Protein backbone atom coordinates (compact mmCIF):
# COMPACT_ATOMS: atom_id res chain seq x y z
CA UNK A 1 0.00 0.00 0.00
CA UNK A 2 1.21 3.49 -0.81
CA UNK A 3 0.90 6.55 1.40
CA UNK A 4 3.15 9.35 2.61
CA UNK A 5 5.63 8.00 5.17
CA UNK A 6 6.86 10.73 7.48
CA UNK A 7 9.37 10.50 10.31
CA UNK A 8 9.25 13.46 12.71
CA UNK A 9 12.38 12.40 14.56
CA UNK A 10 15.34 11.79 12.20
CA UNK A 11 16.82 9.40 14.79
CA UNK A 12 13.87 7.05 14.24
CA UNK A 13 14.14 6.93 10.43
CA UNK A 14 15.48 3.35 10.56
CA UNK A 15 12.47 2.28 12.60
CA UNK A 16 10.11 3.78 10.02
CA UNK A 17 11.98 2.04 7.18
CA UNK A 18 11.72 -1.31 8.99
CA UNK A 19 8.09 -0.72 9.74
CA UNK A 20 7.33 0.10 6.10
CA UNK A 21 9.04 -3.10 5.01
CA UNK A 22 7.28 -5.21 7.61
CA UNK A 23 3.80 -3.99 6.69
CA UNK A 24 4.37 -3.67 2.93
CA UNK A 25 4.04 0.12 2.82
CA UNK A 26 5.79 2.42 0.36
CA UNK A 27 6.16 6.17 0.18
CA UNK A 28 3.89 8.22 -2.08
CA UNK A 29 4.36 11.93 -1.60
CA UNK A 30 1.10 12.68 -3.40
CA UNK A 31 -1.08 10.57 -1.12
CA UNK A 32 -3.70 12.34 0.99
CA UNK A 33 -2.89 9.88 3.80
CA UNK A 34 0.29 9.95 5.85
CA UNK A 35 1.65 7.45 8.32
CA UNK A 36 3.71 9.50 10.74
CA UNK A 37 6.24 8.20 13.26
CA UNK A 38 6.41 10.83 16.00
CA UNK A 39 8.73 10.79 19.03
CA UNK A 40 6.27 8.58 20.86
CA UNK A 41 3.88 6.80 18.50
CA UNK A 42 2.70 5.88 15.04
CA UNK A 43 -0.17 7.99 13.68
CA UNK A 44 -2.37 8.12 10.62
CA UNK A 45 -3.22 11.58 9.30
CA UNK A 46 -5.35 12.80 6.43
CA UNK A 47 -3.23 15.55 4.94
CA UNK A 48 -6.01 17.38 3.10
CA UNK A 49 -8.13 17.56 6.29
CA UNK A 50 -5.66 18.24 9.08
CA UNK A 51 -8.44 19.43 11.38
CA UNK A 52 -9.75 15.87 11.62
CA UNK A 53 -6.76 15.00 13.81
CA UNK A 54 -4.59 11.93 13.93
CA UNK A 55 -5.61 8.32 14.41
CA UNK A 56 -3.47 6.23 16.73
CA UNK A 57 -3.97 3.39 19.18
CA UNK A 58 -3.87 4.31 22.85
CA UNK A 59 -4.77 1.41 25.12
CA UNK A 60 -3.10 2.93 28.18
CA UNK A 61 -4.79 6.30 28.74
CA UNK A 62 -7.69 8.36 27.37
CA UNK A 63 -10.97 6.69 26.44
CA UNK A 64 -9.62 3.13 26.83
CA UNK A 65 -8.46 3.75 30.39
CA UNK A 66 -11.67 5.53 31.30
CA UNK A 67 -13.77 2.66 29.99
CA UNK A 68 -11.55 0.08 31.74
CA UNK A 69 -12.03 1.83 35.08
CA UNK A 70 -15.58 3.16 34.85
CA UNK A 71 -17.17 1.43 31.83
CA UNK A 72 -19.37 -0.99 33.74
CA UNK A 73 -17.21 -4.13 33.73
CA UNK A 74 -19.03 -7.37 33.00
CA UNK A 75 -22.33 -5.46 32.85
CA UNK A 76 -21.38 -3.98 29.46
CA UNK A 77 -23.36 -5.21 26.46
CA UNK A 78 -20.25 -6.55 24.70
CA UNK A 79 -19.34 -8.62 27.77
CA UNK A 80 -22.82 -10.10 27.97
CA UNK A 81 -22.77 -10.79 24.23
CA UNK A 82 -19.60 -12.89 24.40
CA UNK A 83 -20.98 -14.71 27.44
CA UNK A 84 -18.60 -13.32 30.06
CA UNK A 85 -19.77 -14.02 33.58
CA UNK A 86 -18.32 -14.99 36.91
CA UNK A 87 -16.03 -17.97 36.39
CA UNK A 88 -16.42 -17.89 32.59
CA UNK A 89 -13.59 -16.22 30.66
CA UNK A 90 -14.14 -17.02 26.99
CA UNK A 91 -11.27 -17.29 24.55
CA UNK A 92 -12.16 -14.89 21.74
CA UNK A 93 -11.00 -14.52 18.16
CA UNK A 94 -11.70 -10.96 16.98
CA UNK A 95 -11.77 -11.35 13.20
CA UNK A 96 -12.08 -7.62 12.44
CA UNK A 97 -9.76 -6.06 15.03
CA UNK A 98 -9.59 -2.47 13.70
CA UNK A 99 -8.08 -0.20 16.34
CA UNK A 100 -8.47 -2.91 18.98
CA UNK A 101 -11.00 -1.09 21.14
CA UNK A 102 -13.46 -3.94 21.55
CA UNK A 103 -10.68 -6.52 21.92
CA UNK A 104 -9.12 -4.35 24.64
CA UNK A 105 -12.40 -4.14 26.57
CA UNK A 106 -12.76 -7.93 26.46
CA UNK A 107 -9.13 -8.50 27.45
CA UNK A 108 -9.43 -6.02 30.32
CA UNK A 109 -12.33 -8.13 31.61
CA UNK A 110 -10.24 -11.31 31.51
CA UNK A 111 -10.74 -12.78 28.01
CA UNK A 112 -7.82 -13.95 25.92
CA UNK A 113 -8.26 -12.29 22.52
CA UNK A 114 -6.59 -13.22 19.25
CA UNK A 115 -7.04 -10.21 16.98
CA UNK A 116 -7.00 -10.52 13.18
CA UNK A 117 -6.67 -7.40 11.02
CA UNK A 118 -6.12 -7.35 7.27
CA UNK A 119 -5.48 -3.67 6.49
CA UNK A 120 -1.71 -3.09 6.66
CA UNK A 121 -1.95 0.47 8.00
CA UNK A 122 -4.53 -0.45 10.62
CA UNK A 123 -2.46 -3.49 11.61
CA UNK A 124 0.65 -1.29 11.90
CA UNK A 125 -1.19 1.23 14.12
CA UNK A 126 -2.60 -1.56 16.28
CA UNK A 127 0.75 -3.29 16.60
CA UNK A 128 2.32 0.01 17.67
CA UNK A 129 -0.37 0.63 20.30
CA UNK A 130 -0.03 -2.93 21.54
CA UNK A 131 3.76 -2.62 21.85
CA UNK A 132 3.42 0.60 23.89
CA UNK A 133 0.73 -0.93 26.11
CA UNK A 134 2.95 -3.96 26.80
CA UNK A 135 5.52 -1.56 28.31
CA UNK A 136 3.03 -0.01 30.70
CA UNK A 137 3.68 -0.92 34.35
CA UNK A 138 -0.02 -1.09 35.21
CA UNK A 139 -1.55 -3.03 32.31
CA UNK A 140 1.50 -4.37 30.42
CA UNK A 141 1.42 -7.78 32.15
CA UNK A 142 -2.08 -8.81 31.17
CA UNK A 143 -1.88 -7.10 27.77
CA UNK A 144 1.11 -9.34 26.95
CA UNK A 145 -0.69 -12.43 28.23
CA UNK A 146 -4.10 -11.87 26.72
CA UNK A 147 -3.87 -9.80 23.51
CA UNK A 148 -2.18 -10.86 20.28
CA UNK A 149 -2.40 -9.70 16.68
CA UNK A 150 -2.34 -11.61 13.42
CA UNK A 151 -2.05 -9.59 10.22
CA UNK A 152 -4.21 -11.57 7.81
CA UNK A 153 -7.55 -11.67 6.14
CA UNK A 154 -10.03 -13.51 8.35
CA UNK A 155 -11.59 -15.17 5.32
CA UNK A 156 -8.28 -17.08 4.93
CA UNK A 157 -7.17 -17.12 8.56
CA UNK A 158 -10.33 -18.68 10.01
CA UNK A 159 -10.20 -21.55 7.52
CA UNK A 160 -6.45 -22.11 8.04
CA UNK A 161 -6.80 -22.08 11.82
CA UNK A 162 -9.63 -24.60 11.65
CA UNK A 163 -7.32 -26.96 9.73
CA UNK A 164 -4.37 -26.45 12.10
CA UNK A 165 -4.27 -29.42 14.54
CA UNK A 166 -2.25 -27.39 17.10
CA UNK A 167 -4.68 -24.47 17.20
CA UNK A 168 -7.12 -24.40 20.10
CA UNK A 169 -10.39 -23.16 18.65
CA UNK A 170 -11.83 -20.05 20.31
CA UNK A 171 -15.04 -20.19 22.31
CA UNK A 172 -16.22 -17.05 20.55
CA UNK A 173 -15.58 -15.46 17.16
CA UNK A 174 -16.33 -11.75 17.34
CA UNK A 175 -16.96 -9.72 14.16
CA UNK A 176 -17.42 -5.97 13.72
CA UNK A 177 -16.98 -5.22 10.02
CA UNK A 178 -17.25 -1.67 8.68
CA UNK A 179 -20.81 -0.79 7.83
CA UNK A 180 -21.74 2.14 5.57
CA UNK A 181 -22.94 5.01 7.76
CA UNK A 182 -26.52 6.07 7.37
CA UNK A 183 -26.09 9.26 9.32
CA UNK A 184 -24.31 12.31 7.95
CA UNK A 185 -20.59 11.74 8.22
CA UNK A 186 -20.20 15.02 10.15
CA UNK A 187 -21.77 13.18 13.07
CA UNK A 188 -19.08 10.54 13.03
CA UNK A 189 -16.20 11.38 15.38
CA UNK A 190 -13.48 13.27 13.55
CA UNK A 191 -10.68 10.76 13.81
CA UNK A 192 -13.06 7.93 12.89
CA UNK A 193 -13.72 9.73 9.61
CA UNK A 194 -10.02 9.44 8.80
CA UNK A 195 -10.12 5.74 9.63
CA UNK A 196 -13.27 5.10 7.64
CA UNK A 197 -12.03 6.93 4.54
CA UNK A 198 -8.84 4.89 4.60
CA UNK A 199 -10.42 1.47 5.17
CA UNK A 200 -13.71 1.89 3.27
CA UNK A 201 -16.69 -0.42 3.60
CA UNK A 202 -16.10 -4.13 4.23
CA UNK A 203 -18.38 -5.24 1.40
CA UNK A 204 -17.24 -8.85 1.66
CA UNK A 205 -18.22 -9.14 5.33
CA UNK A 206 -21.04 -11.66 4.72
CA UNK A 207 -18.47 -14.25 3.70
CA UNK A 208 -17.01 -14.18 7.23
CA UNK A 209 -20.13 -15.68 8.75
CA UNK A 210 -19.78 -19.32 7.68
CA UNK A 211 -16.08 -19.70 8.64
CA UNK A 212 -16.77 -17.91 11.93
CA UNK A 213 -19.58 -20.35 12.74
CA UNK A 214 -17.33 -23.28 11.79
CA UNK A 215 -14.44 -22.11 14.00
CA UNK A 216 -16.18 -20.90 17.17
CA UNK A 217 -16.99 -23.68 19.61
CA UNK A 218 -19.63 -21.77 21.61
CA UNK A 219 -20.88 -18.69 19.76
CA UNK A 220 -20.38 -16.01 17.13
CA UNK A 221 -21.05 -12.38 18.03
CA UNK A 222 -21.59 -9.74 15.33
CA UNK A 223 -21.63 -6.03 16.18
CA UNK A 224 -23.86 -4.00 13.86
CA UNK A 225 -25.28 -0.47 13.81
CA UNK A 226 -28.86 -0.56 15.10
CA UNK A 227 -30.28 0.03 11.60
CA UNK A 228 -28.23 -2.67 9.84
CA UNK A 229 -29.55 -5.98 8.55
CA UNK A 230 -28.13 -9.26 9.87
CA UNK A 231 -24.73 -10.39 8.64
CA UNK A 232 -25.20 -12.85 5.76
CA UNK A 233 -28.96 -12.50 6.40
CA UNK A 234 -28.57 -14.98 9.24
CA UNK A 235 -31.09 -14.56 12.06
CA UNK A 236 -29.31 -14.55 15.44
CA UNK A 237 -30.31 -16.64 18.46
CA UNK A 238 -30.57 -13.41 20.42
CA UNK A 239 -29.49 -9.77 20.22
CA UNK A 240 -28.23 -7.33 22.84
CA UNK A 241 -28.99 -3.73 22.06
CA UNK A 242 -27.19 -0.55 23.05
CA UNK A 243 -27.99 3.07 22.13
CA UNK A 244 -26.34 2.87 18.70
CA UNK A 245 -25.40 -0.74 18.15
CA UNK A 246 -26.67 -4.27 18.30
CA UNK A 247 -24.72 -7.38 19.22
CA UNK A 248 -26.22 -10.30 17.28
CA UNK A 249 -25.42 -13.52 19.11
CA UNK A 250 -25.37 -16.89 17.29
CA UNK A 251 -25.29 -19.62 19.90
CA UNK A 252 -23.70 -22.99 19.09
CA UNK A 253 -23.24 -24.34 22.63
CA UNK A 254 -23.73 -23.15 26.20
CA UNK A 255 -20.94 -21.13 27.80
CA UNK A 256 -19.40 -23.12 30.65
C1 LIG B 1 -15.30 -1.33 12.28
S1 LIG B 1 -13.62 -1.78 12.31
C2 LIG B 1 -13.49 -2.72 13.78
C3 LIG B 1 -13.40 -1.88 15.00
C4 LIG B 1 -13.02 -2.68 16.22
N1 LIG B 1 -14.09 -3.56 16.64
C5 LIG B 1 -12.60 -1.78 17.35
O1 LIG B 1 -13.19 -1.89 18.44
O2 LIG B 1 -11.66 -0.98 17.17
C6 LIG B 1 -13.50 -3.04 11.11
C7 LIG B 1 -12.07 -3.53 10.88
O3 LIG B 1 -12.12 -4.85 10.40
C8 LIG B 1 -11.15 -5.02 9.40
N2 LIG B 1 -11.59 -6.14 8.58
C9 LIG B 1 -12.71 -6.20 7.83
N3 LIG B 1 -12.83 -7.38 7.22
C10 LIG B 1 -11.75 -8.11 7.59
C11 LIG B 1 -11.30 -9.41 7.30
N4 LIG B 1 -11.98 -10.20 6.47
N5 LIG B 1 -10.16 -9.85 7.85
C12 LIG B 1 -9.46 -9.05 8.70
N6 LIG B 1 -9.82 -7.78 9.01
C13 LIG B 1 -10.96 -7.32 8.47
C14 LIG B 1 -11.12 -3.70 8.68
O4 LIG B 1 -9.88 -3.53 7.99
C15 LIG B 1 -11.29 -2.72 9.84
O5 LIG B 1 -10.05 -2.34 10.37
Amino acid sequence: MQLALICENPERQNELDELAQRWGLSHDENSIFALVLTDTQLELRKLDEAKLGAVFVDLVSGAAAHRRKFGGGRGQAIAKAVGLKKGVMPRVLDGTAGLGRDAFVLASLGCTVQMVERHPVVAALLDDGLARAKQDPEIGGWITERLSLLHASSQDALVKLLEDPDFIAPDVVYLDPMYPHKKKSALVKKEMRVFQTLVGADNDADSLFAPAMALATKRVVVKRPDYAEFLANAKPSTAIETKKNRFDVYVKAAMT
Side-chain angles (χ1 to χ4, degrees), residues 123-144:
L125 293 171
L126 184 53
D127 186 66
D128 176 66
L130 207 51
R132 279 181 284 108
K134 284 180 182 173
Q135 302 302 319
D136 183 72
E138 192 185 345
I139 66 170
W142 60 258
I143 289 273
T144 308

Side-chain angles (χ1 to χ4, degrees), residues 57 67 78 94-105 115-120 122-123 126 150-158 174-179 181 192 195-196 199-205 207-208 223:
V57 174
R67 185 156 174 197
I78 188 173
D94 180 347
T96 55
L99 299 173
R101 295 171 185 190
D102 292 334
F104 175 77
V105 171
M115 301 182 284
V116 184
E117 173 55 49
R118 68 177 167 190
H119 196 291
V122 181
L126 184 53
L150 175 67
H151 176 215
S153 155
S154 284
Q155 271 91 350
D156 300 335
L158 297 187
Y174 178 82
L175 300 172
D176 173 22
M178 287 283 206
Y179 194 86
H181 272 266
M192 286 321 288
F195 179 76
Q196 285 170 359
V199 177
D202 292 323
N203 291 324
D204 58 350
S207 64
L208 285 172
K223 183 177 176 184

